[in-house]
Amino acid sequence: MSPDTLPPVIRRLLERDAVVPVDEAGLAGFLEHPGDQVLFLSGDPVQFPEGLDVAVVLPELRSASGGAFRIGVVARDDQEAVAKRYGNQRWPALVFVRDGRYVTTLAGMHDWSVFVERVAAALAAPTTRPPIALVGPAAASSCH
């Protein structure tokens, strides 16, 4: 993850304590760390500008939760692969893992109080199996 190619707000996020860069090859090492962790999938900042907003509030969300989780910023080129592993189809996304196991995903940007509430719920939730991502024509169709 070359700092020169990152948006400034993502670069600043990576300079904080308990925030580490994660690429697909290093994901297993990140997941070996015990406790609660969040994988941040920012998405393309042009297509999903709210990813930059999430980058700004993510350290504040960690502080609001008592510093309860470590943050991994997934390299832009590896986000599709990591998202697929966890069944994510929306950007930006926070993938919560505990002791290397999937907990839940929070997608999109939210009002502060909603975000704090959802992060608290994610940290209290049990681990589970990641959802299966829909691919192909079925993913584009809607049942509504």
Side-chain angles (χ1 to χ4, degrees), residues 89 133-144:
Q89 297 178 330
L134 295 177
V135 293
S141 68
S142 174
C143 61
H144 302 285

Side-chain angles (χ1 to χ4, degrees), residues 14 40 86:
L14 284 165
F40 174 44
Y86 294 107

Side-chain angles (χ1 to χ4, degrees), residues 83-88 102-105 128-134:
K84 186 175 183 180
R85 174 183 177 141
Y86 294 107
N88 182 62
Y102 177 80
V103 176
T104 192
T105 298
T128 186
R129 185 181 66 74
I132 298 170
L134 295 177

Side-chain angles (χ1 to χ4, degrees), residues 28-135:
F30 179 81
L31 295 174
E32 288 176 357
H33 193 275
D36 288 296
Q37 301 184 94
V38 173
L39 290 163
F40 174 44
L41 306 168
S42 62
D44 180 333
V46 173
Q47 189 175 6
F48 305 104
E50 61 272 18
L52 300 177
D53 296 333
V54 174
V56 171
V57 301
L58 186 53
E60 303 308 319
L61 289 167
R62 182 177 61 199
S63 292
S65 67
F69 57 86
R70 187 170 91 144
I71 301 168
V73 177
V74 179
R76 180 70 193 102
D77 292 341
D78 296 324
Q79 289 186 22
E80 287 287 337
V82 173
K84 186 175 183 180
R85 174 183 177 141
Y86 294 107
N88 182 62
Q89 297 178 330
R90 292 195 49 218
W91 306 97
L94 301 177
V95 178
F96 286 77
V97 293
R98 180 175 308 115
D99 300 326
R101 298 197 57 219
Y102 177 80
V103 176
T104 192
T105 298
L106 300 179
M109 181 65 185
H110 305 277
D111 289 337
W112 177 252
S113 60
V114 172
F115 233 158
V116 169
E117 182 180 294
R118 290 185 180 174
V119 166
L123 293 171
T127 60
T128 186
R129 185 181 66 74
I132 298 170
L134 295 177
V135 293

